[in-house]
Amino acid sequence: MDSLSEIKQRMRKFATDRDWNKFHTPRNILLALVGEVGELSEIFQWKNEVKEGLPSFSEEEKVHTGEELADVLLYLVRLADRCDIDLSQAVEDKFAKNVAKYPAELVKGSSKKYTEYRINADSKENASSNGE
């Protein structure tokens, strides 16, 4: 599967073939999604900080992590579909907002919340415009 659209179509068919659409209300899918995020979280629980690439994980743990990530993605795509949200477009829109909200020249290397650096940037602009 290469795209969200393909995943959406396969999930629709999967549910339709099983007559599950009547159970796939947004609320039910959301609760299932939260449950899957919980299952994913359990894999990482009590492991302290986990390095990129999961070098401390066994092969079995990596496979399990992939399965839980897949469950999360499948439910997320299904939820968007049942809510009539174009997830690809929502991602594009959100990404554009984040690019504007977190300009690289202001946030590079910082984990501060956007409100902290926005206030600092605004203060500097005001100071320079006031001749300070």
Side-chain angles (χ1 to χ4, degrees):
M1 277 183 261
D2 294 329
S3 71
L4 293 177
S5 179
E6 186 179 348
I7 294 168
K8 177 174 72 173
Q9 294 307 318
R10 289 184 69 178
M11 288 295 291
R12 277 183 182 175
K13 182 172 178 5
F14 184 85
T16 298
D17 289 351
R18 287 155 182 79
D19 193 26
W20 286 355
N21 285 315
K22 58 189 167 199
F23 306 119
H24 282 195
T25 63
R27 176 190 170 277
N28 286 348
I29 296 170
L30 176 61
L31 293 175
L33 173 61
V34 169
E36 294 300 336
V37 170
E39 289 180 26
L40 178 61
S41 299
E42 286 177 351
I43 298 169
F44 289 83
Q45 190 175 19
W46 313 120
K47 289 199 178 277
N48 297 319
E49 192 54 47
V50 176
K51 294 187 185 324
E52 182 178 332
L54 311 178
S56 64
F57 279 37
S58 68
E59 189 56 34
E60 183 180 325
E61 287 173 314
K62 286 183 180 182
V63 168
H64 187 203
T65 301
E67 291 171 347
E68 297 306 334
L69 284 167
D71 284 340
V72 168
L73 178 61
L74 292 170
Y75 276 121
L76 180 63
V77 171
R78 185 67 173 150
L79 178 60
D81 184 31
R82 297 300 281 179
C83 291
D84 198 23
I85 302 292
D86 180 340
L87 193 54
S88 293
Q89 187 60 56
V91 168
E92 287 296 324
D93 294 346
K94 184 63 176 182
F95 204 92
K97 284 182 180 181
N98 284 344
V99 166
K101 192 175 187 180
Y102 300 99
E105 64 276 3
L106 290 179
V107 303
K108 193 169 192 167
S110 175
S111 63
K112 291 180 181 175
K113 188 173 177 179
Y114 73 95
T115 52
E116 290 184 51
Y117 71 80
R118 272 287 179 222
I119 291 168
N120 291 336
D122 291 343
S123 297
K124 288 177 185 176
E125 280 181 23
N126 289 336
S128 65
S129 67
N130 291 332
E132 296 176 16

